[in-house]
Amino acid sequence: MIGKIGRNDKCPCMSGKKYKNCCEKDLLVKDLKERGIIKFDEKYFFKDVMDDIMFKNYYEANRLKIDNEIITGIIQNHGASMSYGTYPITSNENKWFIVNNTVSPVQKFKSLEAAHELQHIINHYNGYPSVSFKKEYLGNNNLACKNISDMLNDPMVNGEIMKYGFDMKSYFEKADRIQIPAIETFIGHEKNTFVITLCVKRYLDYKNIDPNIRIEDISFIKYCKEKYSSLEVFWLQIISWIRQIGYKTKESADLILNKTIELLGYQQYMELKYF
C-alpha cells in the first residue's frame, strides 16, 4: 500500500514539483480521481512518445496552436485505447483532456494515436464542428453522433498528421480489420449510420493517401457494398456532396454534417456543436 504523500514529496503527477506546490490543493485533481481519471503532468505523459521523431516533430510544430492547458492522464479499463474530449469544470468553462488506457507515460508504439487525439483537439479548438444531441435529448446513446462527427473529423485529423511521416495506410488497414466485426455489434438505424459514415470516412482517409483512388478500389467499401447494398445510395450521396462542397473548412463541414443529419433522419434530435 502506498503511504500518505508528504507535502514536500515530489508530486505523484510527475511534474517534478513538490506536492504542496502542485496537486495538493488542486480541486480538479480530486474531482478527476473521483471519476476514475488519474492526472499526470503533460510533459511526463508524452515523455516516451517523444522518442518517436515523427511525434516529436508533430508535437513541437502543433502544441502551441492551443494556448490552453490540456489535462493528461490515465483511466482504468476504458473501452478506447486513447481518447480526447472536454472536461466540465464549471458551467461556463471546459478544459481539454487526453487520457490513455491504464498506463502513463503513453507507450511509444502509440505515437500515432497520441498525435491523432491531439490534432482532434486542435481542430475543434479552431472551430471545426462536431455533432451532439440537442439539449432535450442529451443522455441518449451518443454513438450515432460520434459516428457522424468522425466521418469528417477523422479524415481531417489524419490528413494533417500524415504530413509527419506516420504510416497511415497500415493504420487504416488495422482499423478496417477491427471495424468490420464491430459493425455487427450495432442494430437497427444505429447500425445503418455506422456503415454509411464509415464508408464515407474510409473513402476520405484513403483519398488522403492517394488522391486518384476510386471508391470501388477500397476494400472496406467493397465489403460493405456486398453485405449492405441497400445503404450504398446514402454513402454515395454524401460523397457526392463532399466532392461538390469540400469538408476541410468550418463552413463546408457545417453544410455536409447538417445535410447528413437530415439525410439520415436525425434532424429532430441532433445539432452541430462547437467547442
Side-chain angles (χ1 to χ4, degrees):
M1 181 179 291
I2 299 174
K4 185 178 179 181
I5 303 166
R7 298 186 72 240
N8 288 311
D9 291 342
K10 285 191 174 181
C11 189
C13 80
M14 306 303 289
S15 66
K17 300 175 184 177
K18 289 183 178 180
Y19 181 55
K20 67 181 181 183
N21 297 325
C22 194
C23 290
E24 181 186 22
K25 297 180 180 179
D26 191 336
L27 296 178
L28 169 63
V29 172
K30 293 178 173 60
D31 191 40
L32 287 168
K33 192 171 182 180
E34 289 176 2
R35 297 167 187 261
I37 298 172
I38 301 173
K39 183 177 182 288
F40 282 91
D41 177 73
E42 183 179 334
K43 185 175 180 181
Y44 176 79
F45 184 75
F46 289 125
K47 176 175 72 74
D48 287 355
V49 288
M50 282 294 189
D51 290 337
D52 183 328
I53 190 62
M54 292 179 289
F55 181 84
K56 184 174 187 293
N57 289 341
Y58 167 79
Y59 185 89
E60 291 177 349
N62 292 281
R63 175 60 181 89
L64 291 180
K65 292 178 180 177
I66 309 169
D67 54 15
N68 293 19
E69 175 191 8
I70 297 177
I71 300 165
T72 49
I74 64 173
I75 187 167
Q76 301 292 333
N77 303 316
H78 189 50
S81 175
M82 292 188 74
S83 59
Y84 78 97
T86 57
Y87 184 81
I89 307 303
T90 70
S91 58
N92 301 316
E93 180 186 6
N94 284 291
K95 288 183 181 287
W96 293 103
F97 72 79
I98 298 177
V99 291
N100 191 38
N101 193 355
T102 308
V103 177
S104 182
V106 178
Q107 307 95 314
K108 184 178 177 181
F109 69 85
K110 287 187 176 181
S111 61
L112 190 158
E113 288 180 69
H116 183 93
E117 302 306 318
L118 183 55
Q119 186 62 41
H120 266 296
I121 292 175
I122 291 169
N123 286 357
H124 290 311
Y125 183 78
N126 287 298
Y128 202 78
S130 186
V131 175
S132 175
F133 278 112
K134 294 179 180 179
K135 187 176 181 180
E136 58 268 35
Y137 297 104
L138 288 174
N140 285 282
N141 188 323
N142 69 352
L143 281 174
C145 292
K146 183 179 187 306
N147 292 332
I148 296 171
S149 295
D150 286 350
M151 178 184 77
L152 299 187
N153 276 280
D154 276 351
M156 270 288 289
V157 163
N158 294 330
E160 286 300 312
I161 66 175
M162 69 181 290
K163 298 173 184 176
Y164 295 86
F166 291 106
D167 183 359
M168 304 308 297
K169 187 170 186 294
S170 296
Y171 179 65
F172 298 152
E173 289 171 348
K174 179 182 177 181
D176 290 346
R177 292 192 295 272
I178 293 169
Q179 287 169 336
I180 285 174
I183 292 172
E184 299 310 316
T185 65
F186 290 82
I187 58 172
H189 197 42
E190 280 196 350
K191 183 175 185 176
N192 294 343
T193 300
F194 189 52
V195 171
I196 292 162
T197 55
L198 267 179
C199 285
V200 176
K201 180 166 75 170
R202 275 293 163 264
Y203 169 71
L204 297 176
D205 272 336
Y206 282 106
K207 199 166 180 61
N208 275 330
I209 298 173
D210 177 7
N212 298 315
I213 199 165
R214 301 175 303 170
I215 296 173
E216 56 268 29
D217 294 331
I218 299 170
S219 297
F220 182 86
I221 296 179
K222 285 195 287 188
Y223 168 84
C224 290
K225 182 178 179 179
E226 291 173 5
K227 193 153 187 182
Y228 311 103
S229 58
S230 64
L231 302 179
E232 182 185 18
V233 64
F234 294 95
W235 71 68
L236 289 180
Q237 177 62 76
I238 298 169
I239 288 171
S240 174
W241 289 333
I242 291 170
R243 286 171 171 169
Q244 295 169 34
I245 300 169
Y247 72 99
K248 295 186 178 181
T249 66
K250 173 191 175 298
E251 293 74 20
S252 58
D254 284 355
L255 281 169
I256 297 298
L257 291 175
N258 276 322
K259 285 170 120 3
T260 300
I261 288 168
E262 185 174 356
L263 178 71
L264 301 183
Y266 289 114
Q267 63 269 34
Q268 179 182 344
Y269 311 102
M270 296 180 184
E271 62 186 0
L272 300 192
K273 176 182 178 182
Y274 305 94
F275 294 93

